[in-house]
RNA sequence: GGGCAAUUAGCUCAGUGGUAGAGUGUCCGCUUCACAUGCGGAAGGUCGCAGGUUCAAAUCCUGCAUUGCCCACCA
């Protein structure tokens, strides 16, 4: 047999993947009598290429899937892609911008059509890349979050929640991104530490501190703490305030939310432009006066400052106030947190707007209970505490977005004032029979549909065969950074929609970082491209490097060196095989296990068989406990140091004695086969390729469906 | 302000009650017929600090220090 000296993954990986795909073993069978093991893949965004973070989840999930398949479970790993609302819209708009077009040139329908086509093309690309990583998922069930069937299920939920009083429409202060031109949920907002000047401005007889003098035209009261002795005499009185637009009268109110220690203990209340002030305004029934528009510019109410951008207006107003001697002092070292758009980092403008919201408290209660009752387990456990902390303080969720790409809100309005919530467009208004209905222009937050992914993929609300057999799913594996965005929402939706938890285990992995613990980013130039790495060193080396020395929940440290060291391991496996096959070339073996006798074993024979037993136990236990890094190291150590360094070397001596030649070959092959099985979940390509070469009788079509070694 | 976690070999990290581990790096020696993407050997840690529980603590408890992250409406 002529096997090359160096393992070349490139020549075999594509071929092996085709073998798996053609074998039909990737396809799950809901009629199976076996116990199901289901993972729904976190759908990658259908707007770009896979990055190293995707390689992490593919590796971890594929390890579980391949292990359970070999253990005899009916496995389903269901792939899909996400339409990724705002993100994809931004990506496609950038594409249009290159042709000097905007989405408005195309119109809503055409824009949607083109973005859909774009997403479908990307879906294909993403899926071919997942294959390169070795993902043994069921392509026949692949889904897309914006598929019309999925949409119907999403609308069904919307309607049900509306009818149950869990969804409402209201005018609230929301996070507005002036650049993305949409409302955002609280989760989509980041906070940046920033240094801004704090202006001490004279308001009649009082002085107050603010970083946003430009919102002063929206002030509808001045507030102090009720017990603040300095200002007691002003409470509930009106004071005259000189401003850049003339003199106004303003009421001084008291509210216990005012911190007397901050600034002068006096605050201007601008209910239209500050969430805190909005709440105070509600309590005191203050007028809401909006002075900044959705374009992030001053509006008519700002008088001569109309049309100016916020910072420009601020500068001009400050100058004018200084001229009028209304600024007492400026603290230029003031540090505070500023809300920015999680995606584009533009400063968030809190604005009053009519949006759709979900009442979350009622959904959160059973979701908390499910975890407390251990129906859902987190790996690692400490994420439970983080989950509780967030869930117990959950606030209402703004689900409407002012974008075109996504599930359009299934609500129609009639001139008569009737609001119709329906899964499909109604023919006419049930009240006045008017057929001219106008659909809500907003779309749903992408997480509203992702949150229902574990069951919408099975055709829910229909109780399909797949739904009945595969749901609830077994493990949900994803990065901890989307614990609130996604995992928490899936648990809430799952219980609400299906009355069942969506999964039993939540395994969370960390962020991928480089050798110096730096985040990977294009600007830092430290990005590791998984496809480039596969091209150079093979998918097995990449996968092994990603699990080696990485425990659950912790960041994944990866470097080219680490991948190279695992490529060396693939070569080691390859050459050990080369040696073994050379020794047994002329013999035909039965399933080797049957041939191993317990008598007449040499010391080395006994030692390696014992070590193998121990390794099988360890690897199995660690895989059962989600300790993939441990399992990987157990197999690695056994194969390299116990099998290669020790037993293969001993076997060379044993081959000098004719009596034990046959037995020695047999043990070599037996241990090799067992090792391939143990390593297969981690390094599927090379192990499968070697399996295909082994001279075994009763060989299965693929190592992928071989039986896991028995303890 | 509240919370979560980390601190172990030069570096990156495992280990979580019973004589300190891996990968990588360093040093020395090997063109030994599977593999130089290799083989053999060596050096290197009072497991952040201080208490406590225990026959026994890197491991459990308490406090402290340092670092990282998350949540939160301080103008």
């Amino acid at each position: 047999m002529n096997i090359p000296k160096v393992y070349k993954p490139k020549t075999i990986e594509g071929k092996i993947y085709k073998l798996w795909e053609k074998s039909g073993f990737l396809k799950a069978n809901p009629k199976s009598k076996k116990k199901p093991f289901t993972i729904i893949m976190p759908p990658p965004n259908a707007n770009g290429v896979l990055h190293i973070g995707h390689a992490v989840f593919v590796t971890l999930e594929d390890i579980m899937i391949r292990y359970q398949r070999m253990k005899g479970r009916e496995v389903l790993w269901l792939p899909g892609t996400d339409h990724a609302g705002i993100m994809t819209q931004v990506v496609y708009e950038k594409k249009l911008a290159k042709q000097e077009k905007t989405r408005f040139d195309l119109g809503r329908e055409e824009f949607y059509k083109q973005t859909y086509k774009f997403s479908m093309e990307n879906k294909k690309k993403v899926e071919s890349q997942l294959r390169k990583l070795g993902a043994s998922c069921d392509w026949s069930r692949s889904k897309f979050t914006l598929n019309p069937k999925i949409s119907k299920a999403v609308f069904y939920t919307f309607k049900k929640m509306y009818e149950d009083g869990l969804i409402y429409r209201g005018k609230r202060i929301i996070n507005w991104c002036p650049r993305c031109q949409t409302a955002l949920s609280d989760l989509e907002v980041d906070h940046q530490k920033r240094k801004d000047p704090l202006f001490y401005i004279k308001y009649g007889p009082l002085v107050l501190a603010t970083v946003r003098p430009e919102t002063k035209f929206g002030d509808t009261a001045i507030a102090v703490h009720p017990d603040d002795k300095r200002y007691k005499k002003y409470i509930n009185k009106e004071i005259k305030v000189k401003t850049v637009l003339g003199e106004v009268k303003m009421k001084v109110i008291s509210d216990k939310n005012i911190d007397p220690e901050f600034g002068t203990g006096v605050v201007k209340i601008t209910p239209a432009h500050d969430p805190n002030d909005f709440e105070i305004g509600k309590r005191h029934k203050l007028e809401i006066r909006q002075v900044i528009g959705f374009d992030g510019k001053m509006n008519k109410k700002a008088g001569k400052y109309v049309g100016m951008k916020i910072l420009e207006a601020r500068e001009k107003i400050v100058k004018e106030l200084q001229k009028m001697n209304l600024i007492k002092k400026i603290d230029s070292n003031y540090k505070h947190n500023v809300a920015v758009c999680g995606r584009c980092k533009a400063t968030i403008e809190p604005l009053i707007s009519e949006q759709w919201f979900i009442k979350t408290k009622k959904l959160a209660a059973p979701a908390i209970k499910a975890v407390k009752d251990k129906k859902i387990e987190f790996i690692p456990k400490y994420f439970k505490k983080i989950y509780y902390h967030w869930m117990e303080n959950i606030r209402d969720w703004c689900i409407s977005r002012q974008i075109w790409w996504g599930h359009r809100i299934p609500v129609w309005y009639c001139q008569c004032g009737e609001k119709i919530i329906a899964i499909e467009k109604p023919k006419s208004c049930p009240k006045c029979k008017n057929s001219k209905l106008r659909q809500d222009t907003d779309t749903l937050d992408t997480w509203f549909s992702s949150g229902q992914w574990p069951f919408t993929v099975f055709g829910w609300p229909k109780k399909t065969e797949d739904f009945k057999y595969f749901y609830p799913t077994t493990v949900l594996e994803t990065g901890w950074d989307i614990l609130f965005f996604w995992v928490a929402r899936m648990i809430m939706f799952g219980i609400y929609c299906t009355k069942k938890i969506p999964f039993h285990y939540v395994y969370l992995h960390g962020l991928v970082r480089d050798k110096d613990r730096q985040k990977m980013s294009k600007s830092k130039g430290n990005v590791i491209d998984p496809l480039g790495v596969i091209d150079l060193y093979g998918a097995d080396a990449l996968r092994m490097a990603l699990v080696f020395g990485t425990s659950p929940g912790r960041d994944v440290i990866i470097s080219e060196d680490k991948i190279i060291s695992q490529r060396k391991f693939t070569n080691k496996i390859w050459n050990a095989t080369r040696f073994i096959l050379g020794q047994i070339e002329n013999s035909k073996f039965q399933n080797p296990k049957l041939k191993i006798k317990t008598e007449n074993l040499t010391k080395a024979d006994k030692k390696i068989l014992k070590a193998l037993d121990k390794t099988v136990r360890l690897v199995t236990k660690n895989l059962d406990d989600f300790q993939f890094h441990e399992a990987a190291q157990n197999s690695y150590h056994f194969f390299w140091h116990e099998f290669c360094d020790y037993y293969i070397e001993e076997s060379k001596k044993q081959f000098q004695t004719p009596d034990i030649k046959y037995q020695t070959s047999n043990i070599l092959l037996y241990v090799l086969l067992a090792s391939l099985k143990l390593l297969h979940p981690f390094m599927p390509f090379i192990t499968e390729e070697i399996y295909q070469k082994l001279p075994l009788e009763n060989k299965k079509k693929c190592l992928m469906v071989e039986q896991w070694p028995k303890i």
Side-chain angles (χ1 to χ4, degrees):
Chain A
M1 202 176 290
N2 196 12
I3 301 173
K5 235 176 155 175
V6 170
Y7 172 59
K8 291 190 185 111
K10 234 177 160 175
T11 58
I12 67 122
E13 288 185 351
K15 179 188 82 185
I16 292 293
Y17 198 91
K18 269 185 204 140
L19 172 76
W20 293 330
E21 212 166 354
K22 279 189 189 153
S23 74
F25 296 132
L26 299 180
K27 197 168 173 178
N29 175 17
K31 290 190 173 71
S32 169
K33 294 271 191 303
K34 297 186 220 166
K35 199 177 162 194
F37 182 94
T38 313
I39 296 179
I40 306 297
M41 183 186 291
N45 296 340
N47 59 24
V49 292
L50 292 191
H51 54 71
I52 193 82
H54 295 111
V56 172
F57 87 64
V58 168
T59 302
L60 292 169
E61 290 169 32
D62 201 37
I63 288 169
M64 292 187 241
I65 287 291
R66 286 179 186 273
Y67 170 60
Q68 296 296 344
R69 189 185 284 123
M70 291 172 85
K71 288 264 278 192
R73 298 275 286 266
E74 182 65 32
V75 300
L76 166 61
W77 188 14
L78 193 149
T81 44
D82 196 292
H83 69 280
I86 303 174
M87 200 187 279
T88 305
Q89 173 153 330
V90 169
V91 169
Y92 200 72
E93 281 184 305
K94 272 188 190 159
K95 234 179 117 133
L96 287 176
K98 279 184 189 157
Q99 307 159 33
E100 292 181 8
K101 276 187 196 163
T102 70
R103 65 183 154 119
F104 300 100
D105 295 330
L106 302 182
R108 186 165 187 152
E109 234 171 88
E110 179 61 20
F111 178 81
Y112 190 94
K113 223 170 110 185
Q114 289 191 16
T115 311
Y116 203 99
K117 196 174 158 235
F118 171 74
S119 296
M120 287 300 109
E121 285 161 9
N122 274 305
K123 185 180 196 308
K124 269 190 196 155
K125 278 185 210 162
V126 164
E127 288 178 349
S128 90
Q129 291 169 347
L130 289 170
R131 285 178 171 88
K132 289 201 166 163
L133 285 160
S136 62
C137 45
D138 183 351
W139 296 111
S140 72
R141 287 178 166 84
S142 182
K143 297 287 187 300
F144 177 55
T145 52
L146 211 46
N147 174 282
K149 274 189 195 162
I150 303 279
S151 287
K152 269 196 185 174
V154 168
F155 296 152
Y156 175 89
T157 302
F158 185 95
K159 188 167 187 274
K160 186 170 183 290
M161 290 181 92
Y162 183 82
E163 285 160 1
D164 287 349
L166 291 170
I167 282 184
Y168 63 93
R169 193 175 190 228
K171 252 192 171 175
R172 296 293 143 89
I173 193 149
I174 46 92
N175 308 296
W176 181 263
C177 175
R179 226 174 81 180
C180 301
Q181 283 290 300
T182 180
L184 300 171
S185 67
D186 295 326
L187 267 184
E188 289 162 296
V189 173
D190 286 343
H191 293 275
Q192 274 181 5
K193 267 206 175 123
R194 227 190 268 172
K195 207 165 98 176
D196 279 313
L198 180 66
F199 304 98
Y200 284 74
I201 303 175
K202 292 177 191 166
Y203 269 59
L206 302 171
V207 175
L208 58 81
T210 180
V211 280
R212 302 203 59 186
E214 74 278 7
T215 60
K216 71 189 308 303
F217 314 116
D219 296 349
T220 49
I222 290 169
V224 297
H225 192 273
D227 303 331
D228 196 327
K229 282 176 189 152
R230 293 171 291 179
Y231 308 116
K232 215 144 201 172
K233 60 177 174 177
Y234 295 108
I235 294 173
N236 292 327
K237 301 263 165 63
E238 281 202 333
I239 58 168
K240 283 181 187 170
V241 176
K242 232 201 229 170
T243 82
V244 288
L245 296 179
E247 200 176 74
V248 293
K249 277 185 183 169
M250 225 176 265
K251 197 178 173 186
V252 179
I253 58 168
S254 67
D255 195 287
K256 54 184 184 322
N257 252 28
I258 308 299
D259 178 7
E261 302 292 315
F262 183 87
T264 58
V266 185
V267 179
K268 68 195 203 61
I269 303 297
T270 322
H273 297 291
D274 184 282
N276 208 10
D277 293 3
F278 180 78
E279 290 304 317
I280 293 175
K282 256 205 317 206
R283 283 202 283 275
H284 298 270
K285 299 198 171 70
L286 298 179
E287 183 201 340
I288 294 169
R289 199 186 302 152
Q290 186 172 338
V291 297
I292 297 168
F294 293 104
D295 53 1
K297 289 176 182 166
M298 308 304 294
N299 70 14
K300 286 185 291 196
K301 294 212 172 93
K304 59 184 171 184
Y305 301 98
V306 65
M308 283 186 202
K309 283 191 179 169
I310 290 161
L311 289 179
E312 189 189 354
R314 184 181 302 174
E315 208 176 299
K316 294 237 163 87
I317 289 165
V318 167
K319 268 190 189 151
E320 181 115 13
L321 287 169
Q322 275 172 326
K323 256 191 228 162
M324 296 168 75
N325 198 25
L326 288 173
I327 295 196
K328 203 179 167 201
K329 68 167 182 179
I330 300 171
D331 176 358
S332 50
N333 276 317
Y334 178 62
K335 282 178 205 141
H336 64 150
N337 279 334
V338 178
V340 297
C341 173
R343 189 163 300 97
C344 74
K345 307 294 170 200
T347 304
I348 289 295
E349 207 44 61
L351 288 174
I352 309 250
S353 163
E354 188 143 42
Q355 302 286 347
W356 291 91
F357 296 88
I358 291 185
K359 277 188 198 167
T360 42
K361 287 259 189 274
K362 272 189 196 160
L363 296 171
I368 293 167
K369 193 171 182 293
V371 178
K372 289 222 158 126
D373 293 349
K374 301 198 168 177
K375 296 216 170 88
I376 300 174
E377 293 279 7
F378 281 76
I379 300 113
K381 281 195 170 64
Y382 63 76
F383 278 109
K384 269 189 189 187
K385 293 183 199 166
I386 298 171
Y387 170 83
Y388 292 142
H389 187 254
W390 189 74
M391 286 295 244
E392 279 157 7
N393 296 294
I394 198 165
R395 294 189 296 161
D396 281 4
W397 173 16
C398 175
I399 51 166
S400 44
R401 298 288 176 275
Q402 287 64 55
I403 57 171
W404 290 352
W405 180 239
H407 301 278
R408 188 159 174 180
I409 290 184
V411 177
W412 284 263
Y413 304 96
C414 177
Q415 284 177 330
C416 74
E418 187 70 1
K419 186 158 63 182
I420 309 137
I421 288 85
I423 293 161
E424 281 175 63
K425 188 183 176 176
K427 286 204 174 74
S428 61
C429 172
K431 204 171 160 191
C432 70
K433 306 296 170 204
N434 190 335
S435 62
K436 276 190 181 168
L437 299 172
R438 190 173 46 81
Q439 189 176 359
D440 197 299
T441 53
D442 290 352
T443 49
L444 290 164
D445 181 1
T446 192
W447 298 105
F448 184 86
S449 55
S450 317
Q452 302 171 58
W453 196 234
F455 44 93
T456 55
V457 294
F458 293 128
W460 180 91
K462 281 188 196 133
K463 297 272 165 60
T464 62
E465 196 177 34
D466 271 10
F467 179 80
K468 281 189 243 169
Y469 183 69
F470 293 113
Y471 187 87
T473 68
T474 317
V475 180
L476 183 278
E477 193 286 329
T478 193
W480 55 253
D481 53 322
I482 52 174
L483 176 61
F484 307 140
F485 278 112
W486 197 39
V487 181
R489 266 87 175 255
M490 283 191 283
I491 298 174
M492 289 192 281
F493 276 125
I495 296 170
Y496 172 73
C497 294
T498 71
K499 310 274 184 284
K500 283 179 185 170
I501 50 161
F503 31 71
H504 297 286
Y505 298 95
V506 176
Y507 179 102
L508 295 163
H509 65 253
L511 219 68
V512 183
R513 292 173 185 274
D514 71 7
K515 220 181 170 182
D516 305 316
R517 307 206 95 253
Q518 296 287 307
K519 276 187 194 176
M520 293 202 174
S521 71
K522 277 179 194 164
S523 54
K524 280 185 199 141
N526 61 350
V527 174
I528 291 183
D529 164 33
L531 299 159
V533 165
I534 288 173
D535 213 39
L536 280 171
Y537 310 116
D540 293 329
L542 172 64
R543 291 167 58 120
M544 196 66 169
L546 286 171
V547 281
F548 225 72
T550 307
S551 58
R554 310 306 308 274
D555 289 340
V556 179
I557 312 289
I558 188 84
S559 62
E560 192 152 348
D561 285 351
K562 206 171 163 187
I563 299 162
I564 290 171
S565 77
Q566 292 303 331
R567 178 192 55 163
K568 289 182 185 175
F569 183 48
T570 58
N571 203 54
K572 189 74 185 173
I573 301 170
W574 189 252
N575 277 292
T577 305
R578 229 158 61 89
F579 171 78
I580 294 165
L581 289 183
Q583 298 300 322
I584 62 171
E585 201 170 17
N586 301 318
S587 322
K588 266 270 176 185
F589 284 87
Q590 300 284 332
N591 188 331
K593 176 161 185 157
L594 302 173
K595 289 284 178 182
I596 290 182
K597 294 172 187 159
T598 45
E599 66 265 24
N600 298 328
L601 291 176
T602 66
K603 204 176 145 194
D605 294 343
K606 284 180 193 157
K607 201 171 161 187
I608 193 65
L609 291 171
K610 203 177 160 194
L612 174 64
D613 267 0
K614 190 184 165 197
T615 306
V616 170
R617 268 202 310 276
L618 275 174
V619 173
T620 305
K621 186 186 185 303
N622 282 322
L623 286 175
D624 286 337
D625 294 346
F626 299 93
Q627 303 299 309
F628 308 121
H629 60 298
E630 286 287 294
Q633 289 196 33
N634 299 149
S635 315
Y636 177 97
H637 185 265
F638 171 76
F639 192 85
W640 197 314
H641 302 298
E642 295 182 288
F643 187 43
C644 294
D645 291 351
Y646 173 72
Y647 189 73
I648 289 185
E649 291 309 317
E650 289 296 314
S651 79
K652 289 175 187 171
K653 293 175 205 160
Q654 295 189 182
F655 278 118
Q656 306 300 315
T657 314
D659 288 359
I660 55 172
K661 250 173 130 171
Y662 184 82
Q663 179 77 307
T664 303
S665 315
N666 203 0
I667 291 176
L668 281 172
L669 189 56
Y670 172 70
V671 177
L672 175 64
L673 176 61
S675 302
L676 292 177
K677 291 179 180 178
L678 293 177
L679 286 164
H680 184 256
F682 304 93
M683 314 176 92
F685 289 106
I686 187 170
T687 50
E688 184 70 75
E689 168 69 10
I690 292 171
Y691 180 81
Q692 296 297 329
K693 286 188 192 311
L694 294 186
L696 304 169
E697 280 188 2
N698 305 321
K699 199 155 87 168
K700 297 266 170 68
K701 202 171 169 189
C702 298
L703 174 60
M704 186 171 75
V705 291
E706 262 284 3
Q707 197 181 42
W708 187 255
K710 282 197 181 121
I711 299 169

